[in-house]
Amino acid sequence: SIQPNKPTTVNPLDDANFNMGMVNGYITRAKEAKDRGFELFIDLYSTPGWANGGKSKTTPPTDGTWFGYAAAWIALKLGAASVQLMNEVDSKAFFTPVVAGNAAAEYAAMIAKAYPVAKKAAPAVTFVAGSCTYVKDSWYTPVRDQLDKLGVGKAYDAVSCHPYVSLPASFQCSPDAPDVTDPASPDYKYREYRLRHIQTYSAVVAKREPGMPIILSEWNWSTHPNIGGEPNDQVGVTLAQQGDYITKAMGIFAALP
């Protein structure tokens, strides 16, 4: 944890409140990356016990303000261009709501407090809403709805998803699987596991928040060999297939508004 203990100084952005022994190594790696022309994108997640009443590290903080300060501090310390406000928050593996089934509401409440303090402290940084697994407008929509209920117009500078492909039968990992928009179709339940569903996702975001950037913060195809019986989300491809799929995917992304 970059902040294993509750801040003790008046200034929540004071270095004394953070684990510099850990962060100094990050600073070195960040400089190496930037020296090679890369922009730094940080994915910040995991809650220290002091911030959530001693619950698990996947349980959100009691007060999102502290998460906002931590996001701003690490961004400024490493010179990051962007910070993602938690990873795959639709998954209990990364975000476990205090009340079962209340993830969207609890995440919205957290970033409603985190974003204003983070943006004030680091105005040049792009703060990205926590990513979702696959291309789930079914996650984006309830979070946006909850923010509206709170009267919060802006709680991030961009949204994010992870457009991996996880499909049964003939399509397997291919990005060629078309989007499914007909609820009567038997394939409708798989729509958010298709890379081309990014077209629908993009339209949903644009309708709710015109001009909102979408960052595809994690996606690819693994080139590991298959032994048979792999789950849909663990099927490996050949290097040639990987190259073909990435090329096709970039074309799909480039065609988005």
Side-chain angles (χ1 to χ4, degrees):
S1 173
I2 63 170
Q3 196 173 36
N5 302 304
K6 187 174 181 178
T8 56
T9 69
V10 175
N11 179 5
L13 297 175
D14 193 315
D15 286 357
N17 294 322
F18 295 88
N19 183 358
M20 291 304 298
M22 171 185 286
V23 174
N24 281 333
Y26 296 161
I27 292 171
T28 300
R29 300 289 86 77
K31 183 179 184 304
E32 291 172 351
K34 287 185 290 183
D35 286 348
R36 288 165 173 78
F38 290 98
E39 286 190 350
L40 196 62
F41 181 100
I42 296 173
D43 187 4
L44 184 65
Y45 65 93
S46 183
T47 309
W50 66 263
N52 65 9
K55 295 181 175 65
S56 73
K57 65 181 182 180
T58 60
T59 302
T62 305
D63 183 353
T65 303
W66 291 113
F67 187 77
Y69 284 129
W73 181 84
I74 194 67
L76 294 171
K77 207 62 169 172
L78 302 187
S82 306
V83 177
Q84 184 168 272
L85 304 175
M86 291 201 174
N87 179 62
E88 296 190 344
V89 282
D90 62 310
S91 169
K92 290 181 182 179
F94 293 99
F95 189 88
T96 306
V98 176
V99 178
N102 202 41
E106 292 184 25
Y107 182 71
M110 187 195 82
I111 57 173
K113 287 191 172 183
Y115 177 77
V117 298
K119 197 65 178 176
K120 182 177 180 180
V125 175
T126 296
F127 291 99
V128 184
S131 61
C132 61
T133 55
Y134 302 102
V135 191
K136 293 183 178 176
D137 47 286
S138 63
W139 169 257
Y140 163 80
T141 297
V143 171
R144 185 62 260 175
D145 288 346
Q146 290 295 327
L147 288 169
D148 290 346
K149 287 181 180 180
L150 294 171
V152 176
K154 192 169 186 180
Y156 39 75
D157 301 312
V159 297
S160 172
C161 64
H162 290 171
Y164 290 108
V165 181
S166 177
L167 295 172
S170 58
F171 284 115
Q172 288 289 347
C173 299
S174 173
D176 293 326
D179 194 8
V180 181
T181 57
D182 180 4
S185 169
D187 288 331
Y188 187 71
K189 63 182 177 181
Y190 300 118
R191 67 194 185 284
E192 294 180 326
Y193 301 92
R194 296 166 180 248
L195 187 140
R196 288 182 182 271
H197 190 68
I198 191 66
Q199 296 157 338
T200 296
Y201 180 93
S202 176
V204 169
V205 173
K207 184 176 181 179
R208 294 293 295 269
E209 302 179 280
M212 178 62 66
I214 298 173
I215 294 178
L216 310 178
S217 56
E218 187 181 311
W219 62 278
N220 206 334
W221 284 266
S222 172
T223 56
H224 66 265
N226 299 311
I227 59 174
E230 286 82 5
N232 296 330
D233 62 347
Q234 295 179 25
V235 176
V237 300
T238 66
L239 284 170
Q241 284 175 315
Q242 184 189 60
D244 179 47
Y245 290 172
I246 289 174
T247 300
K248 288 178 177 177
M250 294 299 290
I252 294 167
F253 300 151
L256 296 172

